Amino acid sequence: MARPALLIGLGGTGQWVLTYVKKELLDYTKGEGVPREVRLIAFDTTRQIDKKKSRSEEEEPIVVEGVQLASDEYYHLGGNIEKIVREIAEENLHPHISSWLQAKIYLTRLGAGQYMLEEGAGQMRPFGRMAVFKDLESNPENSKIFGTIRNAIQEIRSQIKENRSLEISIIASLAGGTGAGTAIDVAHIVRTIAENTIGSQNFVIRGFFVLP
């Protein structure tokens, strides 16, 4: 029996690690699926490439011995952040972002296409972090990050017992843009949701990070 666990992979490294873990879990269950006590969730600013539709060498799907994360295990964080950057630089809006996002510098150095968080954060940690803020922009209840994590914890909740607390692992690389930029905020969101859902005594959060 597997321990109740929620594994959250951030960025490309997080995707790869979760895919390897999924392969091991499927071997463990002899192909019957990921144990019901375990949830795998990956967030990235790069769109997932379907192993069946990849047609060029540049499109490398994240696959381990035929295993790939499913549509309910991978979530793309995207959107155009140019409007927010301009509002910070030109109108002094979004003070909760302006303290760490160098909007004026980006406007003088980056082209319009670089504000599109569709194919990665361009190795820029602030842009990786902006993927979280963009996702939470309208309403946390409608965000992919908040809703997906909350639903996963609620689904595992019945498996949590007095001597079987929920183990939450956050996996990312600190050398790139998306993983390094989202890790702390995602950890804060996870802790808040877990405390409100199952109580502070019933879970533990651990981080596994690749260093430069």
Side-chain angles (χ1 to χ4, degrees):
M1 180 179 295
R3 296 179 182 179
L6 171 59
L7 280 68
I8 301 174
L10 304 174
T13 298
Q15 269 200 80
W16 274 110
V17 171
L18 258 62
T19 306
Y20 273 98
V21 170
K22 183 176 181 179
K23 168 65 171 55
E24 294 296 323
L25 289 172
L26 292 178
D27 288 346
Y28 170 75
T29 63
K30 298 183 175 11
E32 295 184 1
V34 175
R36 64 178 182 174
E37 300 91 347
V38 179
R39 292 293 182 277
L40 307 176
I41 300 175
F43 296 107
D44 199 358
T45 53
T46 301
R47 291 190 179 277
Q48 188 181 40
I49 301 173
D50 192 318
K51 63 181 180 180
K52 298 179 181 178
K53 298 180 180 179
S54 177
R55 298 180 178 179
S56 69
E57 294 182 357
E58 295 181 357
E59 294 184 340
E60 181 188 9
I62 296 181
V63 181
V64 177
E65 296 184 30
V67 174
Q68 187 173 29
L69 296 179
S71 59
D72 61 347
E73 296 170 333
Y74 171 83
Y75 296 87
H76 176 253
L77 302 177
N80 192 331
I81 64 170
E82 183 176 5
K83 180 176 181 292
I84 298 176
V85 173
R86 289 193 177 280
E87 288 175 345
I88 292 172
E90 300 170 358
E91 303 176 42
N92 294 321
L93 298 178
H94 312 291
H96 61 294
I97 299 175
S98 61
S99 62
W100 52 266
L101 187 75
Q102 298 176 316
K104 292 182 179 179
I105 294 177
Y106 291 134
L107 286 179
T108 61
R109 297 182 180 178
L110 302 180
Q114 291 176 280
Y115 297 103
M116 287 295 296
L117 300 180
E118 298 295 325
E119 296 302 332
Q123 299 292 306
M124 294 187 290
R125 294 176 187 175
F127 275 30
R129 191 180 189 194
M130 275 301 301
V132 176
F133 282 74
K134 179 67 176 174
D135 179 65
L136 296 168
E137 183 181 23
S138 57
N139 186 338
E141 292 294 326
N142 297 327
S143 84
K144 291 180 182 178
I145 297 174
F146 191 94
T148 302
I149 293 173
R150 179 191 57 195
N151 292 342
I153 293 177
Q154 288 176 341
E155 290 171 358
I156 308 173
R157 187 175 184 176
S158 62
Q159 307 300 321
I160 301 170
K161 309 297 181 184
E162 184 176 346
N163 60 343
R164 298 181 73 217
S165 59
L166 173 62
E167 297 192 16
I168 302 173
S169 297
I170 298 175
I171 306 105
S173 167
L174 300 185
T178 302
T182 59
I184 292 177
D185 290 302
V186 169
H188 174 70
I189 293 170
V190 171
R191 180 177 295 278
T192 300
I193 295 173
E195 287 178 345
N196 293 336
T197 305
I198 58 178
S200 59
Q201 304 300 316
N202 295 317
F203 71 92
V204 60
I205 299 178
R206 295 186 175 91
F208 297 88
F209 301 112
V210 177
L211 301 179

